[in-house]
Amino acid sequence: MESNSHKNTWDTYTKSWSEIDAPKRLQLFEQCLSPDCVYTDPIIQATGYEQLSGYMSELQKNVPGVRFMTTDFKNHHDRSLTHWNMVDGNENVLSQGASYGLYGADGRLMQMTGFFESPNADPSAEYTEYILALLEPIGLVRTGRFFGGVGISNGFVQFAMIMGNCLYFAVDENTRKKYEEAGMQPFSYMIKKGQVQVRKYFEVPEDVLNDCEQLRLWANEAMRVAGKTKPNKRSRGAS
């Protein structure tokens, strides 16, 4: 009975990734996810319904018609392991991966951890030092490994990342436009089936990097954007 129940819960969770209507997606969440659930993959950690729904919306914008097809599901002791294919609206397989699930006493998912191919985007030590020196006027920042590159945080909020000797700032629907108007592109990487874009992060224009005051303003804006959706400190590190 537990096996069937967890499979049904996972199927509902899988369905939520392709639901484009936000209120309907929330209804699916309420059926299959704990309100303080934690989702983690090589790109992001999201806590709760709002952050996860926003991440799903971005994926749907980047990959129209996206959905996940389960190829294998195993579970025991309130844990599951699922292998899947990610396909687009034309049924092209764009990526393959696996996900781990942890279920609560009520049968809903508490933790979901996705594993899939991630880019090798190591920046040089010299470029990282150069960027950190530029960002010094905005206050104390810390760095850590993130998605094959370097994440840059202020406090507990990651607002930037360095990938392949390029600096990217966090954006939202309101701030993304000025990056696009400056001809900048979102962070992207290649998988076997094509290119994946991560529209949460856009490359910082060269003229902004060369203007200390503009860089300070853009960095502070990125911190405000990232701070709106920062993970709950108590839940960080769960997987």
Side-chain angles (χ1 to χ4, degrees), residues 43-44 58 146-147 151-152 157-163 167-172 176 179 185-188 197-204 222 226:
I43 303 174
I44 193 174
E58 285 298 312
F146 178 71
F147 196 43
I152 302 176
V157 178
Q158 179 172 309
F159 68 94
M161 63 182 188
I162 305 173
M163 298 288 178
L167 176 65
Y168 296 83
F169 278 165
V171 302
D172 62 13
R176 183 179 295 118
Y179 288 81
Q185 297 294 321
F187 173 63
S188 63
Q197 290 187 335
V198 182
R199 291 178 57 80
K200 179 181 177 180
Y201 289 95
F202 264 69
E203 186 177 354
V204 178

Side-chain angles (χ1 to χ4, degrees), residues 52-153:
L52 181 56
S53 184
Y55 184 50
M56 289 179 176
S57 294
E58 285 298 312
L59 177 63
Q60 291 164 2
K61 292 176 184 176
N62 294 333
V63 187
V66 66
R67 65 188 182 94
F68 290 84
M69 301 176 61
T70 298
T71 58
D72 185 58
F73 179 89
K74 294 181 174 68
N75 75 302
H76 62 79
H77 296 90
D78 294 325
R79 292 159 174 79
S80 67
L81 178 64
T82 307
H83 289 84
W84 44 261
N85 292 337
M86 183 178 79
V87 302
D88 62 16
N90 295 318
E91 300 297 316
N92 297 308
V93 177
L94 301 179
S95 181
Q96 296 178 319
S99 294
Y100 162 83
L102 176 65
Y103 302 78
D106 63 359
R108 293 188 293 179
L109 282 157
M110 300 171 57
Q111 297 175 12
M112 306 80 71
T113 306
F115 298 86
F116 50 83
E117 183 180 358
S118 61
N120 180 9
D122 268 332
S124 68
E126 292 79 10
Y127 187 79
T128 300
E129 291 176 4
Y130 164 67
I131 292 299
L132 293 179
L134 291 179
L135 294 176
E136 188 173 345
I138 70 173
L140 180 65
V141 298
R142 60 188 179 91
T143 61
R145 298 295 300 168
F146 178 71
F147 196 43
V150 174
I152 302 176
S153 303

